[in-house]
Amino acid sequence: MVNQATTFRALHHDRSPGDPLVLPGPWDAASARVFEEAGFPALATPSAGIAASLGYEDGSTPADEMFAAIRRIVRAVSVPVSADIESGYGLPPKELVERLLETGAVGCNLEDSNHATAALKPAQAQADWLSEFRSLAGDRIVLNARIDTFIRGAANPIDEAVSRAHLYIAAGADCVYPIGAPPEALPTLRSRIEGPINVGAPPGGPSLREWGELGATRITFGPGLQRRAMGAVREIAEGLG
């Protein structure tokens, strides 16, 4: 029987340029069910969206609460779920893998900068850490390695992103995520990086098809969908006055 990690990994491959893998970001069980019912083949939780739903600032959700929220989302749907687990909450790789698998998630994002200091981690040290994570997770987790060069002020964010991508893919990453990369950078990244590339689609940017044609394999939305939903709730609330 094919497991969900295998199914999810396969969704990243053999895609045409205009058909990227689109992964909505549920922030709770109810939103997860809505996205599944809409026909999406997999989901990818946003840490910032979950934080907001739990009353925390982005990056300040306690690990126990984040894993509990992910578990509720996974339990609510039948499609594969990937979880944004930030930079790992300071947990050693063995514990991080175990806790992630306990939620039922079959994928994860791991970022390469320190949220508190906004500093990029040394690239080789991050690659070594990802390699240990991969060794422990085996093929049970689809690893999306986030690359923060565009949002952390790297001197040459494209070249640094490419260099880090090569290290992370060699370490076992299934996909890389140069978060904040502008549309004009994507063709260069696509030409210099082998393997799937995740793009975060902000409001008002290219269409999903256009992102795919520029080089995106997979598209996520961060907390954008949760924020749009809260905007709708605000309009409803204001209409009650």
Side-chain angles (χ1 to χ4, degrees), residues 20-48:
L21 174 61
V22 178
L23 300 175
W27 54 93
D28 60 13
S31 59
R33 284 177 175 157
V34 168
F35 292 135
E36 180 184 33
E37 289 167 2
F40 291 96
L43 307 174
T45 70
S47 61

Side-chain angles (χ1 to χ4, degrees), residues 84-96:
D84 182 350
I85 50 175
E86 303 178 277
S87 57
Y89 306 107
L91 299 173
K94 184 175 187 296
E95 182 178 354
L96 186 60

Side-chain angles (χ1 to χ4, degrees), residues 65-146:
E65 294 198 45
M66 182 63 74
F67 286 120
I70 294 165
R71 187 179 300 111
R72 289 191 294 271
I73 288 168
V74 172
R75 188 176 61 227
V77 296
S78 61
V79 296
V81 175
S82 182
D84 182 350
I85 50 175
E86 303 178 277
S87 57
Y89 306 107
L91 299 173
K94 184 175 187 296
E95 182 178 354
L96 186 60
V97 168
E98 289 173 351
R99 296 194 68 176
L100 181 61
L101 290 172
E102 285 171 358
T103 70
V106 295
C108 71
N109 279 10
L110 285 168
E111 58 199 52
D112 66 354
S113 67
N114 185 301
H115 196 280
T117 65
L120 284 164
K121 298 176 182 179
Q124 187 60 59
Q126 178 71 358
D128 292 344
W129 192 85
L130 292 175
S131 179
E132 185 176 358
F133 180 94
R134 166 56 69 211
S135 178
L136 293 162
D139 62 0
R140 297 174 293 175
I141 296 292
V142 176
L143 174 57
N144 188 34
R146 205 178 88 174

Side-chain angles (χ1 to χ4, degrees), residues 186-202:
L186 199 54
T188 300
L189 293 172
R190 176 70 285 164
S191 70
R192 296 174 62 188
I193 295 172
E194 292 188 12
I197 296 176
N198 189 124
V199 163

Side-chain angles (χ1 to χ4, degrees), residues 174-223:
D174 296 284
C175 184
V176 293
Y177 179 14
I179 187 171
E184 59 269 21
L186 199 54
T188 300
L189 293 172
R190 176 70 285 164
S191 70
R192 296 174 62 188
I193 295 172
E194 292 188 12
I197 296 176
N198 189 124
V199 163
S207 69
L208 302 183
R209 180 180 180 86
E210 287 168 340
W211 275 119
E213 291 171 343
L214 287 169
T217 310
R218 148 177 167 163
I219 296 175
T220 52
F221 302 89

